[in-house]
Amino acid sequence: MAGGQTDGEDKVSLELTEEIIQSMEVGMAFRDYTGRISSMDFHKTSNFLVTASDDESIRLYDVANATCLKTINSKKYGIDLVSFTSHPTTVIYSSKNGWDESLRLLSLHDNKYLRYFRGHHDRVVSLSLCARAEHFISGSLDRTVLLWDQRADKCQGLLRVQGRPATAYDDQGLIFAVAFGGSIRMFDSRNYEKGPFEIFSVGGDVSDANVVKFSNDGRLMLLTTKDGHVHVLDSFRGTLLGTYNVKPVSSNSTLEASFSPEGMFVISGSGDGSVYAWNIRSGKEVGSWLSNENETPVIKWAPGSLMFVTGSSELSFWIPDLSKLAAYVGRK
């Protein structure tokens, strides 16, 4: 990776601190997109990153070597959201053509569709895969959340919601969250038919839910909303630990935020294209990077790494410049 880091330094062997976050800058960027990046996902156990773009392409990257391995076009269906399965070259993605809302299981290795998942009747706005099984959930503007098994064409369950839904599995795959209408509903994956076992409020913010996520250790969760709020909660008690505010996003954009690997920091995009970082314990803003663009970037922290990635009209890999930090000079 550009910027002076070795592979060993890519992993979080150094403790992530506010100083390290403040030193972060773009170490590598891919500027060959002809449309905005709408979604991206890191594979949990490999060095792969996949992106989806408005130019109707899916691109697979080798993060360790900073190379694009493959570009696959989806001109017929378009592409909006994309997520890895447990296999590093298989993805599930949603359409963006306005007439076919099916989800597709695609092999990037040989560009073959392995399965179609039909059930939604409007744009899919949330997609979350279970890390421990072949299950996934999808949420749509048709006000349904569907539960799927990758081995079956038909959905395994249906939940009706009153608004735009955001969905997420926890890292163990034991529970999943569905957020809409100012609250987060918590479900037992094995007994979801019984309804939510907890309902957490996010302090009266009833604007459209955009993204809900769990921290890696499952102790925290975050919810972003269209009005530019990033809420962080205790995932066991539902206590609202903090709310961070950025610029609101348009109805066609998604406000994405991400926990750092150890769960101490949150990074988020903003409706004006900027990126912000906060210390969860203190609640203080610890970093901000302004942008010349006015579109909300998608953003994800790389698993187990001192790096996060943003996607807008280009794909940018952000890494710390340790030469700026006196405490780390001489460690290379």
Side-chain angles (χ1 to χ4, degrees):
M1 178 62 64
Q5 280 188 298
T6 66
D7 288 344
E9 288 169 332
D10 277 343
K11 299 299 181 183
V12 183
S13 54
L14 300 176
E15 180 182 355
L16 187 61
T17 64
E18 293 182 6
E19 291 76 17
I20 288 178
I21 288 180
Q22 289 162 0
S23 78
M24 297 187 86
E25 58 184 29
V26 176
M28 177 65 132
F30 292 86
R31 299 185 172 91
D32 55 340
Y33 286 84
T34 58
R36 293 194 61 80
I37 297 168
S38 58
S39 175
M40 58 187 178
D41 190 34
F42 283 99
H43 192 264
K44 292 186 181 300
T45 58
S46 73
N47 283 315
F48 289 162
L49 168 73
V50 66
T51 66
S53 169
D54 289 347
D55 63 12
E56 301 175 326
S57 72
I58 300 171
R59 306 191 192 195
L60 179 68
Y61 293 87
D62 179 338
V63 176
N65 294 304
T67 56
C68 181
L69 299 177
K70 183 169 290 192
T71 298
I72 293 176
N73 293 314
S74 179
K75 299 294 184 184
K76 181 178 179 180
Y77 302 110
I79 178 168
D80 194 7
L81 303 179
V82 65
S83 290
F84 278 112
T85 67
S86 58
H87 195 281
T89 58
T90 306
V91 299
I92 294 175
Y93 78 91
S94 66
S95 306
K96 200 175 186 179
N97 56 21
W99 54 269
D100 185 345
E101 306 302 338
S102 301
L103 298 160
R104 291 169 176 79
L105 180 63
L106 174 68
S107 168
L108 300 178
H109 173 68
D110 51 11
N111 193 18
K112 288 186 177 180
Y113 291 114
L114 306 178
R115 197 173 300 281
Y116 296 84
F117 306 98
R118 297 181 174 93
H120 285 301
H121 302 289
D122 205 341
R123 179 185 162 208
V124 174
V125 293
S126 185
L127 181 62
S128 179
L129 273 69
C130 180
R132 305 291 180 178
E134 300 295 304
H135 302 142
F136 69 99
I137 49 180
S138 57
S140 167
L141 295 180
D142 64 13
R143 296 194 170 194
T144 65
V145 171
L146 301 184
L147 291 83
W148 305 90
D149 187 317
Q150 293 178 37
R151 299 159 293 188
D153 296 338
K154 296 182 179 180
C155 71
Q156 308 298 295
L158 182 151
L159 301 171
R160 298 194 183 277
V161 297
Q162 302 301 313
R164 172 179 168 143
T167 63
Y169 276 103
D170 75 329
D171 195 53
Q172 300 298 314
L174 299 177
I175 63 175
F176 64 86
V178 178
F180 64 90
S183 62
I184 304 173
R185 288 160 169 78
M186 309 289 283
F187 293 84
D188 184 329
S189 296
R190 297 154 296 185
N191 295 293
Y192 62 87
E193 303 96 335
K194 295 181 179 179
F197 62 85
E198 290 281 7
I199 301 178
F200 300 147
S201 172
V202 290
D205 180 5
V206 296
S207 64
D208 281 348
N210 273 197
V211 169
V212 63
K213 291 182 182 179
F214 289 88
S215 60
N216 287 341
D217 62 9
R219 295 178 180 272
L220 302 173
M221 58 193 313
L222 63 79
L223 170 67
T224 69
T225 64
K226 178 177 177 289
D227 282 356
H229 305 304
V230 183
H231 305 287
V232 176
L233 300 89
D234 181 309
S235 62
F236 296 111
R237 299 179 178 86
T239 308
L240 184 61
L241 302 177
T243 296
Y244 315 117
N245 301 310
V246 298
K247 296 292 184 182
V249 300
S250 68
S251 58
N252 294 324
S253 299
T254 297
L255 178 61
E256 188 167 22
S258 182
F259 287 108
S260 58
E262 78 303 317
M264 290 179 59
F265 300 95
V266 169
I267 53 173
S268 172
S270 174
D272 61 1
S274 302
V275 173
Y276 295 91
W278 299 273
N279 183 315
I280 295 173
R281 183 172 298 174
S282 69
K284 294 181 179 178
E285 179 185 310
V286 296
S288 63
W289 300 267
L290 303 182
S291 172
N292 294 324
E293 300 188 23
N294 58 2
E295 293 280 349
T296 312
V298 291
I299 187 167
K300 279 190 169 61
W301 205 287
S305 176
L306 291 175
M307 177 179 70
F308 66 85
V309 178
T310 57
S312 52
S313 61
E314 60 187 48
L315 181 67
S316 300
F317 294 80
W318 298 74
I319 57 177
D321 182 353
L322 301 185
S323 67
K324 295 179 179 179
L325 304 172
Y328 300 105
V329 171
R331 292 189 59 166
K332 296 183 181 180

